[in-house]
Amino acid sequence: MAPAAAPDRLTHPKQVSGAPHALALFIDRPIFAAVISIIISIGGLVAMMALPIAQFPDITPPQVTVSANYLGADASTVAQNIGAPIENQVNGADNMIYMSSTSSATGNCSLNVYFNIGTDVNLAQVDVSKPRQCRAAATAAKRFPTGRAGSGNAALRS
């Protein structure tokens, strides 16, 4: 008996009815397929670098941080005597969404004020430092405990 002939390819795309010929082209020529994929990748990188970043929307709201310290005070004293007066003065600034504050046992108070997306952070900083035509820190300092009004400091960051 004669040995059985080995099949060429069991399932070649050319033999399957309705299979695209491009698939067979890339299977038969793997180096050509690799070169085409590298060209497409390089084209994608070039296109990505050409996209202007300015067209992407802002997704985080602008933030202004007010920091103050009250040397020698605990967290609850700082929150009541320093944080609350500053919060009352900053509340109502233009385009403000919300604010959050933290006070620490080392006498530090930090107030984060968040504004609507699209608000200029420099204008927001001015609004926080001068809400309703008065300086928040100066007005709040009048409400600080006696003997402490000049011993701490306040700073604005954006």
Side-chain angles (χ1 to χ4, degrees):
M1 286 206 24
D8 290 338
R9 292 185 178 167
L10 296 177
T11 55
H12 193 277
K14 290 180 183 176
Q15 296 172 348
V16 178
S17 63
H21 294 289
L23 182 62
L25 178 71
F26 288 121
I27 290 175
D28 291 340
R29 295 177 180 87
I31 295 174
F32 177 70
V35 169
I36 293 295
S37 66
I38 290 171
I39 290 172
I40 290 172
S41 298
I42 290 172
L45 288 173
V46 168
M48 184 177 69
M49 297 304 238
L51 287 175
I53 295 176
Q55 292 183 357
F56 294 121
D58 293 330
I59 56 173
T60 58
Q63 172 187 353
V64 175
T65 302
V66 179
S67 299
N69 62 11
Y70 183 0
L71 302 174
D74 62 350
S76 63
T77 304
V78 172
Q80 291 172 358
N81 297 324
I82 305 297
I86 293 175
E87 288 174 6
N88 290 335
Q89 291 301 313
V90 169
N91 193 13
D94 292 338
N95 296 321
M96 185 182 84
I97 302 173
Y98 65 95
M99 64 179 146
S100 65
S101 64
T102 58
S103 300
S104 69
T106 59
N108 294 323
C109 177
S110 178
L111 173 68
N112 295 319
V113 185
Y114 297 90
F115 293 89
N116 288 327
I117 293 176
T119 303
D120 183 16
V121 74
N122 294 323
L123 294 176
Q125 190 169 3
V126 169
D127 283 342
V128 168
S129 66
K130 298 178 183 179
R132 294 171 290 204
Q133 284 70 36
C134 66
R135 297 186 62 77
T139 305
K142 294 177 185 175
R143 297 184 182 146
F144 290 171
T146 57
R148 289 293 183 171
S151 64
N153 60 34
L156 287 172
R157 290 181 304 193
S158 56

